[in-house]
Amino acid sequence: MRLGMVGLGRMGANLVRRLGRAGIGAVVWDRDPSAVQALAAEGAEGATSLADLVHRLDTPRAVWVMLPAGEATEGALTELASLLSPGDVAIDGGNGMWKDAVRRAATLRARGIDFLDIGTSGGVWGLARGYCLMIGGPAEPVARLDPIFRALAPGEAAAPPTPGRDAGADPRPPQGYVHCGPNGAGHFTKMVHNAIEYGMMQAMAEGLELLHAHDAQLPVPDITEAWRRGSVVASWLLDLTAQALAADGELSGYTGRVGDSGEGRWAVQAAIESAVPAPVLSAALYARFRSRQDGPFADKALSAMRNAFGGHLEPK
């Protein structure tokens, strides 16, 4: 079994490397030839174009697109639709919009091509730790590509067994990957996953600021180090936070401007469409917007109002 990988950024390249460690080969392509050459030097087979990549794979083919959501992914999948054959599988492993996955699946299905939308979590640590995969699409290609998903996933040893879980339940989730449902379900699940991540990060950041602001000058790096062991808030996010604070207790190398790649916005939109209250997820998203403002107009308006009705001038 071999996989085609389109897009060799930090995630795409490491997916190929992890597959290689499991003995699963890959044909790779990126518009940056140096990225292709780097992986070819590590044992992957390099392609000179998307058409060349498809040509190098035996049928039935599986081609994984790992590109930014939007125009780049849309263009690659549109071109793949004209290159793949009935029975092949196209995969979008990026942070795509779930409604786009439903639309793309219908377009490819009309050509006899299967489509999987796979939410992929693991970031830059995925090569070593494995990737949590949230898969949407028809059951047959999901089952056929199971060796690939199993190789990419963290494996059952990554966490203790869940007490009370039915021994006859689906064996894949304890390995770190799950077939969520039909097309769109994978990206919808990853969207919600990332929105939860926003909320967890925001709660942790606000708590750390509260500790940092205390008059007693609390040892924030030591507190997070202690919390990692036995605390209810122990988590991988806390592990990474403690690591950053150990390196620089004031986090002086960071500006505090936090980006968002779309999933938080889509999750809030989905909550509105479904009339599901999501105040924490919404507030976390807005906090990211606020982090990117310098002297926002709203603050200037607040200051002007306070001065107008109470004569409170801004501190100099």
Side-chain angles (χ1 to χ4, degrees), residues 7-227:
L8 305 178
R10 289 175 296 180
M11 290 281 281
N14 279 347
L15 287 166
V16 171
R17 293 184 177 106
R18 188 165 175 91
L19 287 174
R21 292 178 179 181
I24 298 176
V27 181
V28 301
W29 180 74
D30 190 284
R31 63 182 180 181
D32 179 3
S34 64
V36 177
Q37 292 164 7
L39 276 180
E42 298 179 37
E45 182 177 345
T48 57
S49 66
L50 194 52
D52 183 44
L53 178 144
V54 170
H55 177 73
R56 290 170 182 266
L57 290 168
D58 295 329
T59 57
R61 307 174 185 90
V63 180
W64 187 308
V65 176
M66 203 65 181
L67 294 169
E71 185 178 342
T73 295
E74 187 73 23
L77 288 172
T78 298
E79 186 176 354
L80 274 176
S82 66
L83 296 170
L84 296 177
S85 304
D88 291 346
V89 183
I91 299 169
D92 177 10
N95 287 322
M97 173 56 163
W98 69 275
K99 293 180 180 179
D100 289 338
V102 174
R103 172 180 55 80
R104 290 163 178 161
T107 300
L108 290 166
R109 192 180 303 117
R111 295 173 174 262
I113 301 165
D114 285 315
F115 178 74
L116 301 179
D117 49 286
I118 302 183
T120 307
S121 182
V124 296
W125 295 85
L127 176 59
R129 291 170 54 98
Y131 297 90
C132 179
L133 304 175
M134 293 148 266
I135 307 167
E140 190 280 327
V142 172
R144 177 157 54 88
L145 299 180
D146 187 77
I148 286 174
F149 305 143
R150 183 173 290 266
L152 292 174
E156 198 163 0
T162 300
R165 180 174 170 83
D166 185 354
D170 188 339
R172 296 172 293 183
Q175 298 291 332
Y177 61 108
V178 55
H179 185 197
C180 301
N183 283 120
H187 280 171
F188 188 90
T189 303
K190 180 58 161 51
M191 174 191 75
V192 175
H193 166 282
N194 282 23
I196 292 171
E197 176 188 298
Y198 280 31
M200 292 173 66
M201 292 172 68
Q202 186 64 28
M204 192 173 296
E206 290 178 11
L208 294 177
E209 181 160 8
L210 191 58
L211 290 172
H212 187 267
H214 194 277
D215 291 342
Q217 296 184 322
L218 301 177
V220 179
D222 290 345
I223 291 169
T224 56
E225 186 64 27
W227 279 356

Side-chain angles (χ1 to χ4, degrees), residues 296-315:
F297 186 80
D299 285 355
K300 296 176 182 178
L302 282 173
S303 183
M305 285 184 273
R306 191 165 183 263
N307 181 46
F309 71 71
H312 304 289
L313 295 174
E314 290 181 349

